[in-house]
Amino acid sequence: MRLSRYFLPVLKENPSEAQIVSHRLMLRAGMIKQASAGIYSWLPLGFKVLRKLENIVHEEQARAGHIAIQMPILQSADLWRESGRYDDYGQEMLRMQDRHGRDMLYTPTAEELVTDIFRGHVSSYKDLPLTLYQIQWKFRDEIRPRFGVMRGREFYMKDGYNFDLTKEDALHAYNRHLVSYLRTYERMGLQAIPMRADSGPIGGDDTHEFLVLAETGESEVFYDSAVTDLTFGDRQIDYDDRAQCQAILEEFTSKYARTDETHDEALFNQIPEERRRVARGIEVGQIFYFGTKYSEAMGATVQGPDGKPVPVHMGSHGIGVSRLIGAIIEASHDDKGIIWPEGVTPFHCGIVNLKQGDEEADAACDKLYGALTALGLEPLYDDRNERAGGKFATMDLIGLPWRITVGPRGLKNGVVELTCRRTGESEELSPEAAVTKIAGIYEQIA
């Protein structure tokens, strides 16, 4: 993409309504525009990152054996009355009527709807286990939407639902989700710590939230600093191996890590004092096991091995895809702007032409652009007739991990400048060597 042809409405000044870094930088970088309180239009740069995160989630869900579906945004209130949640959910649920006077609601979550799908099509234990998921827009009518996409009313979320014959089977599905989420977050360049949490209106006794540590987090968290030393890495996982999945759950949850809602001061004080940490965290996902809460209420049963009907055991699992963008920025920025991890960057690198209109510089930039594109990479070429300082400021603001700077002086010596956004370090390389290095970086994270 050439910047002269791209829609990137960057702002020079900090928006007055933005209270936290991610909201401020997303507005300044032209990623989003507020449509109304807590509701945003996603502009090209923001939409591109949203799709990158969505693709990672899909890939990791498929790896774990989960099956994608798409459910409607509007649901019938009758299903929620059947489960008993319609009146209990509160004012966060946006309720409405269609032209025939039927009560409807804008989806905040979809346990009832997916249970209705299941009970209409699955009747035998032989069809289990089954996990269905979607990535879909949701709406919760927050009383005070704030912090941009971090606490909006409309949000993009992956929500998954498992159906199993027994509690043991369902707890394996729980473990499987925990493992898949650890992989997902690490691919996005995040360390998301699973913490014992409160189930809220979803219900159930077993639940973990995944939190990214950040000063602007909405939750107070208490944890053993040893949990921050854990990484998933590139280990190979057999998601059907119950012992392997259970071992990973124990590895990542045996150290103390809890939100303020489930904090136990006595247990916390058993941790060596030098490892006790109190901080703020941003919730980016949650997993639940809630047993037969919905299946019993809604008649979601299967014929068991003995021929008798059995209510299925269920759980649900969510990742806030749009919220993740804010969390990544909160965890990865400096005073110049965003610093995207390579796994989620909207463009793989930026190309800055220091002297637009110079025949040699223009030709060198075009050649770099073509070489990177031919390798399947997406460069953003700043071909605008702007001052060099303005071009650098834009690249720093939007946070591409790598920048190639091309100018007449360097070209006389056969070199361009390759700069790492995270460290600020630069090196002079031939154009071909710069392309090779960038290609190698992205091959390692593919």
Side-chain angles (χ1 to χ4, degrees), residues 11 90 138-139 208 239 252 267 276 303 310 323 346 411 420:
L11 305 176
K138 309 289 190 302
F139 190 92
H208 282 86
Y239 282 99
F252 280 85
L267 288 176
R276 291 180 214 152
Q303 186 181 58
V310 181
R323 167 181 270 249
L411 290 174
C420 174

Side-chain angles (χ1 to χ4, degrees), residues 185-324:
Y185 294 126
E186 282 201 14
R187 284 188 61 187
M188 295 174 181
L190 287 170
Q191 183 178 48
I193 303 170
M195 297 193 179
R196 178 67 63 180
D198 181 69
S199 62
I202 302 294
D205 297 325
D206 291 273
T207 180
H208 282 86
E209 284 180 354
F210 292 80
L211 288 103
V212 174
L213 300 177
E215 292 180 3
T216 52
E218 73 270 67
S219 300
E220 188 174 31
V221 297
F222 303 80
Y223 63 97
D224 181 339
S225 65
V227 302
T228 60
D229 297 328
L230 298 172
T231 58
F232 194 85
D234 59 357
R235 57 181 103 178
Q236 298 300 308
I237 301 299
D238 178 357
Y239 282 99
D240 292 326
D241 187 329
R242 297 192 176 205
Q244 187 181 29
C245 291
Q246 177 66 26
I248 294 171
L249 175 130
E250 291 173 1
E251 176 187 352
F252 280 85
T253 63
S254 59
K255 301 284 191 299
Y256 190 92
R258 297 195 179 196
T259 63
D260 51 1
E261 296 168 321
T262 59
H263 175 54
D264 185 321
E265 192 69 23
L267 288 176
F268 188 59
N269 288 335
Q270 293 177 18
I271 303 167
E273 187 174 358
E274 68 275 10
R275 298 206 323 248
R276 291 180 214 152
R277 297 288 187 274
V278 181
R280 309 294 299 179
I282 300 168
E283 182 200 340
V284 292
Q286 191 163 1
I287 57 176
F288 303 85
Y289 162 70
F290 43 68
T292 58
K293 174 180 176 177
Y294 297 93
S295 57
E296 286 187 343
M298 300 182 68
T301 63
V302 295
Q303 186 181 58
D306 59 0
K308 296 179 180 179
V310 181
V312 291
H313 287 254
M314 293 175 58
S316 65
H317 327 89
I319 288 182
V321 179
S322 53
R323 167 181 270 249
L324 270 168

